[in-house]
Amino acid sequence: EADIYQTPRYLVIGTGKKITLECSQTMGHDKMYWYQQDPGMELHLIHYSYGVNSTEKGDLSSESTVSRIRTEHFPLTLESARPSHTSQYLCASRGTGLYNEQFFGPGTRLTVL
Amino acid sequence: DQQVKQNSPSLSVQEGRISILNCDYTNSMFDYFLWYKKYPAEGPTFLISISSIKDKNEDGRFTVFLNKSAKHLSLHIVPSQPGDSAVYFCAASVISNQFYFGTGTSLTVIP
C-alpha cells in the first residue's frame, strides 16, 4: 500500500500570504512530483525531482518553488498566493525501474481569497 | 498540445453492465500506459497498467486494451458496480519519464 502524505488537506488563505504545502513518502522513492489539477482538466506537472538536491520545473509554468533536501520530503512553496493559485495540488512518487506507477497523496485543496 | 486525450467527459452505465472508457494519444514513443481512478477531494488511485509489448492486461473486473496502430487504449469494467462511480484518468509515458494525463471521464454507475 502506498504511503504518501500531504498536509494540509484543505487551506483557505488571503492574497499575498506565503504558504508551504507538505508532501512526504515513506517508500524510499527517488522520484517525486507535484501536479496541479482543476475540475474537468488534466493533471498538469508543475515540478519534479529525481533525487536529493535535484528539482526541475514541469510543463506548466508555476510561480511556486520546491526543494528536495531529504528523499522522503518534497515541499512546495508559494511566496505570495493569488486567487489564480486556487486549485488542487497533488503530490506523487515513483520508484526506480522502467515500468512502475506513480503513487499519489490525497491532495491539498487550496483556495486563495 | 495535449498528448493524451479522453474525448468523453462523462459516461453513465447500468449496474452489472460493461463500462468502456476510451483514451487516445498522439506520441508514438509512449510505451507505458496507466489508468487511475479518482474520487472528489482525493488523490488518484492506480488501477491497471499496460506496456507497449502487450495488447491486453487483465486484473479482476478491469481489462485494459492497447491498439498501438490506432494510438488508442480502453478500459473495460465488467460488471460495473455503483462503487466504480468516479473520474477515470488515463496516463502515458516514455519508459520512466514523466506521465502525461488525459482530462478524465466521469463514470456514473446507476443502481
Side-chain angles (χ1 to χ4, degrees):
Chain A
E1 191 66 32
D3 294 314
I4 180 164
Y5 309 97
Q6 289 186 246
T7 56
R9 291 293 311 278
Y10 302 91
L11 181 60
V12 180
I13 61 168
T15 297
K17 299 291 186 182
K18 177 181 179 179
I19 61 167
T20 296
L21 308 184
E22 301 288 348
C23 176
S24 295
Q25 50 95 5
T26 58
M27 297 170 282
H29 289 167
D30 285 327
K31 298 178 181 177
M32 296 190 73
Y33 309 82
W34 275 104
Y35 292 89
Q36 187 173 339
Q37 199 244 337
D38 296 310
M41 303 294 290
E42 67 265 42
L43 280 69
H44 286 291
L45 182 67
I46 51 176
H47 295 284
Y48 62 97
S49 168
Y50 286 170
V52 171
N53 294 325
S54 159
T55 61
E56 300 286 345
K57 288 187 178 293
D59 294 337
L60 182 67
S61 175
S62 174
E63 294 163 344
S64 58
T65 59
V66 292
S67 63
R68 190 86 183 277
I69 299 172
R70 303 196 315 266
T71 298
E72 62 271 23
H73 194 214
F74 191 40
L76 181 145
T77 299
L78 275 168
E79 291 292 333
S80 179
R82 295 207 302 269
S84 61
H85 296 138
T86 295
S87 188
Q88 184 179 38
Y89 292 83
L90 294 162
C91 181
S93 72
R94 186 180 186 189
T96 54
L98 292 180
Y99 298 116
N100 44 26
E101 67 270 27
Q102 286 184 351
F103 294 95
F104 282 86
T108 295
R109 168 63 65 182
L110 173 64
T111 302
V112 184
L113 304 176
Chain B
D1 191 26
Q2 203 174 347
Q3 300 192 50
V4 178
K5 298 180 181 180
Q6 294 177 257
N7 293 317
S8 298
S10 62
L11 174 69
S12 291
V13 172
Q14 289 285 341
E15 181 179 4
R17 298 288 186 97
I18 184 172
S19 295
I20 300 177
L21 297 96
N22 295 303
C23 181
D24 297 295
Y25 60 95
T26 57
N27 188 345
S28 59
M29 297 298 291
F30 286 147
D31 63 352
Y32 186 49
F33 305 88
L34 299 87
W35 284 94
Y36 283 89
K37 176 181 180 180
K38 186 180 184 297
Y39 294 113
E42 293 185 13
T45 302
F46 169 72
L47 268 179
I48 192 169
S49 64
I50 188 168
S51 68
S52 58
I53 61 173
K54 294 184 175 182
D55 54 17
K56 176 183 174 181
N57 190 25
E58 193 171 353
D59 184 2
R61 297 186 296 114
F62 302 92
T63 303
V64 55
F65 295 92
L66 176 62
N67 183 332
K68 291 185 287 293
S69 60
K71 296 192 184 70
H72 177 84
L73 68 155
S74 61
L75 175 67
H76 293 209
I77 306 173
V78 182
S80 300
Q81 299 173 354
D84 295 330
S85 297
V87 177
Y88 289 79
F89 289 93
C90 65
S93 76
V94 179
I95 311 182
S96 58
N97 291 333
Q98 70 178 73
F99 283 105
Y100 293 87
F101 287 81
T103 53
T105 296
S106 178
L107 173 66
T108 301
V109 180
I110 303 164

